[in-house]
Amino acid sequence: MADADVATRSPESDAQENVIPGDTPAQTGPTMGEHCTSDRPTPAGLAPKGELRKLGGVDVYLTKPESYPSNPSKLLLLLSSGTGIKSTNNQIQADKFAEEGFVVVMPDLFGGNPAPNSSLVPDAETGTSFLDRIKLKAAELAKSLVIDEWLARHTEEKVMPILEKVIDTCKSEFADAVGNGGGIYAVGYCFGGRYVLLLASERGQVQRGWSGFQKPADEEAGEGAGPVKKGPYIKAGALAHATLVSPDDFQGLKVPVSLVCVESDPMFPDDVRETGEDIMSKESVEHEVQVYPGVPHGFAVVGDYDDANIKDAQITAYEQILRWIKEH
């Protein structure tokens, strides 16, 4: 295979070719692609402009327009892939929105524990012998197990309280930006994409304490321990090549959402997307869905590709998201 082919292939295409016989998505469960755990090369000449700091006790990457606070801005949450807030590419992606007039807060969704870079798991050299093929498949299985273990530590029950803390603090520290935008906007990539849907919805939840245990009824000020309505937390949202999304995540949506999707994406299957579109249409949720053919999962995040089609799609996807949040 030519070097150019390797540079422009989706990481998931390698995994699909090396699936152990008998494995299926139903057997292995939801997981993430390699893009969600490692970055593409950073384009030459680009470097982050923001800062790492605490916000509501949560580590965040904060980047602002050069003219802020002299000129009015809006508040945008950027929810990253598993590579987290210290990823140079994620930081540059946040800076791009700051250049368009947004105060951008990218919270650490993982409590200082970003996804393990699966490329650091030793790979077997590709060869033609039966032993080499067994070694390669064993290495792929090891990668999958490492990611699955990490996902088990970063569930909705852990991530949503982090987002609630950040949102509450933003409403006070950046009240001008929140007020100027009439609310908070959110953009999510890969792992973060699903949480845009959750922030955009109104859901009935059992009242629980921070520990996750249900509170006794007498602690609920007479409200009991039954379902309570929470959300939506944002005014509008956009998500690109989300992972770990289920049809249920489209239930209860209350604000406009834009979806950047990859054609035949194993991380966000067509049937899940189509079911989501049906739900949004039936519930009269303002939405748009653009499916990009011939691009890998993760293409919309800043990163260098040799393929001109992927480069162009990356620009178009950013323009789609930017237009959506500016129009809403």
Side-chain angles (χ1 to χ4, degrees):
M1 181 177 293
D3 289 344
D5 292 335
V6 174
T8 56
R9 290 179 65 190
S10 162
E12 286 75 33
S13 65
D14 299 326
Q16 288 174 315
E17 290 178 5
N18 295 303
V19 171
I20 296 174
D23 276 357
T24 66
Q27 289 173 309
T28 58
T31 187
M32 299 192 301
E34 285 197 20
H35 171 82
C36 301
T37 62
S38 57
D39 283 338
R40 296 286 305 177
T42 301
L46 295 182
K49 301 176 181 178
E51 62 175 331
L52 292 168
R53 54 161 289 189
K54 293 278 188 183
L55 195 66
V58 176
D59 289 323
V60 304
Y61 177 77
L62 175 66
T63 180
K64 298 172 285 188
E66 291 184 0
S67 60
Y68 179 80
S70 299
N71 290 335
S73 298
K74 299 179 181 180
L75 197 287
L76 173 69
L77 287 178
L78 193 148
L79 311 183
S80 75
S81 69
T83 52
I85 65 172
K86 294 185 179 179
S87 155
T88 297
N89 288 357
N90 290 342
Q91 293 176 353
I92 293 171
Q93 189 75 50
D95 291 343
K96 287 168 65 70
F97 289 104
E99 291 168 1
E100 295 292 337
F102 291 89
V103 173
V104 184
V105 175
M106 180 167 61
D108 179 6
L109 305 177
F110 316 115
N113 176 230
N117 187 337
S118 59
S119 66
L120 298 180
V121 179
D123 276 332
E125 293 293 333
T126 303
T128 58
S129 73
F130 177 76
L131 181 58
D132 284 335
R133 291 179 64 84
I134 292 297
K135 288 180 179 179
L136 180 59
K137 291 175 181 178
E140 291 297 328
L141 178 59
K143 290 180 181 181
S144 178
L145 292 175
V146 168
I147 296 300
D148 288 348
E149 181 182 354
W150 179 83
L151 285 172
R153 296 197 299 269
H154 300 290
T155 60
E156 176 183 341
E157 291 74 21
K158 298 289 183 62
V159 175
M160 286 301 291
I162 292 173
L163 289 172
E164 289 175 343
K165 287 181 182 179
V166 171
I167 288 171
D168 286 345
T169 305
C170 285
K171 287 179 178 179
S172 58
E173 184 159 342
F174 301 110
D176 58 335
V178 175
N180 183 56
I184 294 174
Y185 297 84
V187 173
Y189 297 88
C190 300
F191 183 97
R194 175 176 182 249
Y195 287 90
V196 172
L197 294 177
L198 298 186
L199 291 177
S201 65
E202 179 185 75
R203 294 170 179 268
Q205 300 179 354
V206 173
Q207 192 79 349
R208 298 179 185 275
W210 288 113
S211 64
F213 293 105
Q214 184 171 328
K215 292 182 179 180
D218 59 3
E219 292 185 20
E220 297 304 325
E223 295 182 7
V228 294
K229 295 291 186 181
K230 302 188 74 173
Y233 297 84
I234 59 175
K235 182 181 180 182
L239 50 148
H241 37 72
T243 62
L244 308 173
V245 173
S246 74
D248 287 345
D249 295 328
F250 291 93
Q251 300 287 351
L253 289 176
K254 298 296 183 182
V255 303
V257 291
S258 174
L259 280 73
V260 170
C261 302
V262 174
E263 185 178 48
S264 302
D265 186 354
M267 303 296 109
F268 189 12
D270 291 344
D271 60 336
V272 174
R273 172 177 55 80
E274 291 165 0
T275 300
E277 291 184 71
D278 289 342
I279 292 172
M280 290 187 290
S281 295
K282 290 177 181 177
E283 296 298 322
S284 299
V285 176
E286 184 184 356
H287 66 280
E288 68 173 6
V289 178
Q290 295 294 330
V291 179
Y292 291 73
V295 296
H297 180 90
F299 80 97
V301 178
V302 166
D304 200 17
Y305 290 93
D306 291 336
D307 190 313
N309 176 62
I310 301 176
K311 287 184 175 182
D312 290 343
Q314 189 178 89
I315 293 171
T316 303
Y318 172 70
E319 292 174 345
Q320 174 189 331
I321 291 173
L322 180 63
R323 172 187 51 77
W324 184 263
I325 58 178
K326 281 191 169 184
E327 289 180 353
H328 292 85

